Every structure is written in C-alpha cells, then in structure tokens.
Amino acid sequence: MTTDWIALEERYYAQTVRRQPVVLVRGQGTRVWDVEGKEYLDFTAGWAVTNLGHCHPVMVQAIQEQAALLIQTSNQFYTVPQLKLAQALIDNSCLDRVFFGNSGAEAVEGALKLARKYGKKNRDGAYQVITAYNSFHGRTMSTIAATGQPHYQEAFQPLTPGFVHVEYDSVEAIIAATNDETAAVMLEPIQGEGGVNIPADDYLRRVRDWCDKQGLLLILDEVQTGLGRLGSLFGYQEYGVEPDVMTLAKGLGGGVPIGAFLSKEHCMALEPGDHGSTFGGNALTTAAAYASTKHIIDNDLPGQAKAMGLRLTQRLEELKSRFSFISEVRGRGLLIALEFDDDVAAKALSLSNEAGVLFNMVKPNTLRLMPPLTISAEEVDEGVGRLEQALSKL
Ligand SMILES: *Cc1c(COP(=O)(O)O)cnc(C)c1O
C-alpha cells in the first residue's frame, strides 16, 4: 500500500522534495495514522502549522460551517470572517493594519513591497533590506534572495537585487552594513528553518535601537514563531521589542493556507492599487484562522507551549545525558532542536518513524521538534520514550 502511493508520487509529482516513506491518511490531536493503520505521535505539526493539533473540533466546525456558507468572493467585496480575523490580530498585537495572503513567502513578499515603497516615500529611494545568514524567508524569487542560504539561491541566479546578508545575532554586523540605501532590517526572532538558532536575549532590543536611530524599518518574520510557538502569542513579546512590520503564516491558519503581513500605521506605505490577491483573505481560510487564533488566545495556548516546551526540553536533556552522541538540546517554547555530534539525523529520523514518532530533519546533524501547542504532558513523555527507543538502535 505505502509502496504503491510512493510509486505514484515518483511517477507523477515534481521530484523537488525529499519525503519520509510515510503515507498519512488521518490525524487527531497530536497523533496521525498512515495508510497501513500505523499510529505516530506527530512532532512536526505540518511544520509548525497545526497549532491545535490535527482536526481539532473547533477547526473542523469552523471550516464546515463556513464551507456551507461562503468560500470565496475575491476582495472586490467585504466578508465577515476576514474582518473578524483582522480585528483579532490587531487587537492582540502591537501592529495597526493587516493584509492577508496565502503563504509565508507571500507574506514576506508583501512586507518587502511595503519596505520598498516606504523607502521611496520616506527615505529618498532607499531600497536595501538587511537580512541574516541562515535565515529562511520562503521560496519565491524575491524571498530566496532575502534568504541567507546560498543553496536555495545558486540555481536561480540572477536574484532580485537589494538584499544584504549579515551574520545573525550580531548588531555590529547590521551597523556595518547600513548605508544610505538601507530601508529595512528583516529578521526571524529565532531562526527556525536555519536550525533553531537562538540569539542573545538583548539582540532584538539592540537592533530595534539601531533601527530607531537610523529610521529603518524593523521587519520581524514571525511566519514560524508567531501564534504561540515560542511561549508568547508573538515572538517579539519574548524579547520585549515591537516590530514595525511582522509577517505571519504557518500557525496562523492552524492547517489551512494563509499568510499575513501586519504593519504599524506610520509605515503602512502601501496605497490602493499597490497590492492585492485573488484568494488572499478569503472567507474559508480566514474563518478557520479566526477560530484557531481565538482558541489560542482564549485558552492561553502560548502558556501551555511554554510549559510543555520546558518539559520536552527537560526530557531531551535526560536523553542527552544517556546518549553521548547528542551534542545539544536548544529551543524556546515548542520550537526545539536536538543536535547530534555526527550527521546521524537521517538515521535517527527513520528509526523514529519506525518507533512511531515523527520529527523534521533541519540539518544533517539536527532534528527539529515542533509539536502542536495542545500537546499533553503524557504525549511529551510518550514521544520522548519512542525517540529513546529509536536512539538506542543508533
Ligand atoms: C516557512 C517560512 C517561510 C515560508 O513560508 P511558506 O508558507 O512555506 O511560503 C517564511 N519565513 C519563515 C520564517 C518560515 O519559517
């Protein structure tokens, strides 16, 4: 059965992604089942997306009700779920205005257009955006140029101009890279796809100060860190700074494709006609995202992520003291990396699959753990138990 579906993929699908040999057909909470009926604990959550777990009743109900009511209208008209979601995000963040797209890359594209226009209007045509090495901002032509990882860029030269890459977690590097053409600095509060890289506690605060001094926009790409993942509703709250512009996607829709960029009033340079989207902010995805976001806020899921993140980190530290080949456990909230001192992550991943727990390999020597924010203490322990079983075979 599994092999039949894999053969179909090999025959028909563009061979651009390296998949695990698992064909998933059903999910409930933190668990998923494959086509053979095998059950797994899902510590990937659709890549930090299914924040309420799989098929949470609140999500299912919101999607079913909205699907029966109205799915898509285009933005030629007003729709109710879009405006309810907009209000929920603005009322619960430091930002003043929001635009909805369909993915993280689209959210970043929108933020970049905003920065270009802002530079044109307010900074004498400044257009450069400073981003960090090992960052990840998406896979479209401009977001790969923003992304500070050459292996995403090399085959697609020439890249969109206007990006300057600097070392992450170095304010001095940003200061040195700033010039008359600089319009914005764009950073992830914690680099997710780049390996769960956590900056010094005062990094964002000091970057904020520099941006204020120079009149630069600070864009925080919270596509991965937003909506509770780090233990606060937004990552910037963990670091006591306010961005001028913020992007969201992954956890925003709880599983449906939606992205957003949000901006403070003073830098919302975009005007009627400057930006748009056919599907962006449609009634179905915003109804789902509203249900998910409201549930996260009403039930303090960021607080739960913080508590479960501490428990998970502690359990992993116990594994580290047992297995000498684990070199580091690091994370914040429920965004955690397990690093090995050898390139054994692929082997650890496939043994974990067998043991019934799913992880993401973020580097050849690193697994990334990002379970649903709703994960229970028992599920944390059970998942780590299955991981332990896998690692004892390494
Ligand atoms: C995943 C990610 C993106 C891209 O999101 P897509 O929905 O895959 O386009 C952008 N920025 C960050 C920080 C991400 O983690």
Side-chain angles (χ1 to χ4, degrees), residues 101 105 109 114-115 127 129 138 248 271 282 312 389:
E109 289 273 355
L114 189 158
Y127 65 97
V129 178
L248 299 173
E271 294 163 299
N282 82 42
L312 179 50
Q389 209 182 312

Side-chain angles (χ1 to χ4, degrees), residues 103-106 108 136-139 188 193 221 223-224 249-250:
S103 68
E106 253 186 78
V108 175
F136 184 80
H137 299 294
R139 302 289 212 119
E188 296 156 89
E193 200 272 349
D221 182 352
V223 165
Q224 188 155 159
K250 295 197 164 84

